[in-house]
Amino acid sequence: MSISRRRLLGTGTGLALTGAPAAGCGSDTGRGSGDSGGRPVIEQWYHQYGEAGVEQAVRRYAAGYDRAEVRVQWRPGAYDQQTATALLTDSGPDVFEGGPTLEQIQGGQVVDLTDLLRGVREDFNPAVLAPKTYEGRIWGVPQVIDTQLLYYRRSLLADAGVEPPATLDALVDAARELTRGDVKGLFLGNDGGAGVLQGTPLHAAGLAPVTEDGRPGFDDPAAARTLGKLRRLYADKSLLLGAPSDWSDPSAFLQGLTAMQWSGLWALPRVRKELGDDFGVLPFPADGAHGRPAVPVGAYGAAVSARGRNRAAAKEFVRWLWVERTDHQVDFALSYGFHIPARTSLAAKAEPLRRGPAAAAVRFTREHGFAAEPLRWTVAARTAYQDALSRIVKGGADPGRELRAVLRTTEDELRRVRKRR
Amino acid sequence: MRWRPRAPAGPQNRTLWFWLFVGPFVLGLLVFTYVPLGWSVYLSFFDAHNTVSPSREDFVGLDNYAAMLRDDAFTDSLRTFAVFTAFIVPATYALALALALMVNRLRWWQAFFRSVFFLPVACSYVVAALIWKMSIFNGVRFGLANTVLGRFGGEQIAWLSTTDPPWYWLVIVTVRLWLQAGFYMLLFLAGLQRIPPRLYEAAAVDGARPGWQVFRHITFPQLRATSVAVVLLLVVNAFQAFDEFYNLLSDARGYPPYARPPLVYLYYTALGQGQNLGLGSAGAVILALVIGVVTVVQARWFGLGRKEEV
């Protein structure tokens, strides 16, 4: 049968006219019928990990699950925005890496997973479980623990006659002493630390962005005093700024551009490979009489979308992967990147975490770990605080005045989230 | 009932042909532009956190607009835009005009130089921003700008991290200048080639000196229509600045409060983790109104559409 050009044009136009609105309305989501050969289909989303082998590993875990067909999506780009948007639609994931955020919990976008942790809840590190918990119920199962630490170069400190700093004042002095020629004393990120430090200096002063009972935790003169000391680092020209890669990458530290760097535990294998024993790790140092060393911890949790077609099957899969299969959990944490397993019993047994700086990092996390992003520390409050910190550090703004403005925003936000309960 | 073929649609059935060809595009425009626009205006009256279909109880009237106008971060972003516009519009205008005058005078190799200056237009803003950030204006000793400074005994500068003096403006303005000057140069070239040669001949007969005098009294006035269009496009483009700001200054943890233009701020408000779509929509409506007012005032000021004087 021959097809004339006119017929082809007519057919094509007809398809375009009928198909476009159908696609636009989301009737064809590409998800199929929701089951595969009698087994439910589960869409699982991960953000794009930088470490080689993680993607293959999670696909292997998924393939090994026989009670459902698990389809893994590896998603590069602005992952948090992608998931937040996808959860508004029927074509989003069934299981996904996410906080989940307070907005997602309050908006009924994720499923209550409390029963999955029955009997093992106490085994999860409380600092990493806390931001997944809202009104006593758990909304995400922590996958690993990511923690941030202060890396320092032993030889450079020894040459300058500087001890590893145990207080914030000592850190400020050490950074100044270590700044020589092209080498700066400390790297807190190209923005001077406003982005990565977040609530860490507040915890170092014995305070918190938000208290456990949901109130602003920094309405205290100690907060302004501590943040003012970060300004001293900048004013002394002790901070490395404008490095080609930011704080999360240890390149600046390894290239000798800085003697100390704030970075993640994930950088440790690379640092050890290049520097051998010539480095150590520390928590963010304490400040003031009520201060304490501070180690921010956080990580994605596995969450289940409330709009998924196979919610029960998705929950069972999360239980299987992130509660029962401890071998997969250890493999995921330590075989590719370098993270601490979320469960204390697994972290204690893991061989790569039992000596040297890694063991110190595990101990710091256990003794000084706090939730880097508390659930009630909303985006608006966090942004206001981060902006204030930037103005204090770089612009020399008055810390007391800046924090009073952040306090107002935080109180407004906490009032708002209480109302939405 | 038997189906009877209708008369074939020929050139005489113009309405059918019009809708056949234009219809899909009108449909696309409606579905992908006007419906989202209208929906955004609708959302701006609701407390729409993490939802595009808020319930009646979430209606907040004009609260989102009031909150946005009270928000220092938003008003600061408008100020950032104003500063950026004040830099980029005259700088691009002057550079594009200078390039056009230069290329227009070339007797040989004109096509080559026209292409060379136009080529950056084909480069992505994201790629250019990353080259500027990581290779040319990084703040360490092996950045290109710092290497040159070092040769002259200058100190290293953290170009994007220093607020006093605000060197980051140099980075932001130069990347956009490099990317867009070639396009506006072409517009000016087209304008220059429309000027009748007899005007220059008459000026020469009248004794006008070539160079500045001819440019001021003949070339520049004759480019009035092109100038108006160029300035209009430049201002609208400046308002829509996002790519280079975002890629030069953001990191995984956020964005510094300085040099945060309105679109970046709205991106974080509406599409960041907070997903405050109501507040973000209100900001988008305010921004659209500001752009509309500025454009109309500017068009009036420069006389866009006014009949050319003979």
Side-chain angles (χ1 to χ4, degrees), chain B residues 11 13 32 56 64 66 72-73 84 130 136 142 153 161 190 198 214 216 223 229 236-237 254 275:
Chain B
N13 196 344
F32 297 113
R56 198 175 291 172
N64 282 330
D72 289 342
F84 179 59
L130 292 179
I136 302 176
F142 40 77
S161 305
R198 62 187 158 81
V214 168
R216 189 182 154 195
L223 286 175
V236 173
N237 279 347
Q275 293 268 310

Side-chain angles (χ1 to χ4, degrees), chain B residues 195-196 198-204 208 212-224:
Chain B
I195 301 173
R198 62 187 158 81
L199 289 180
Y200 292 108
E201 290 160 10
W212 174 246
Q213 203 170 25
V214 168
F215 173 78
R216 189 182 154 195
H217 294 291
I218 305 227
T219 309
F220 192 66
Q222 287 292 317
L223 286 175
R224 195 178 71 87

Side-chain angles (χ1 to χ4, degrees), chain A residues 225-238:
Chain A
R225 187 199 60 219
T226 300
L227 298 193
K229 290 179 184 174
L230 298 178
R231 165 66 183 172
R232 270 176 50 205
L233 284 164
Y234 183 85
D236 288 350
K237 298 191 174 176
S238 307

Side-chain angles (χ1 to χ4, degrees), chain B residues 100-121:
Chain B
L101 289 168
M102 202 167 70
V103 170
N104 196 43
R105 287 173 67 91
L106 291 173
R107 291 180 176 218
W108 296 284
W109 291 77
Q110 194 189 90
F112 172 76
F113 282 103
R114 206 169 46 205
S115 304
V116 165
F117 292 130
F118 183 74
L119 219 56
V121 175

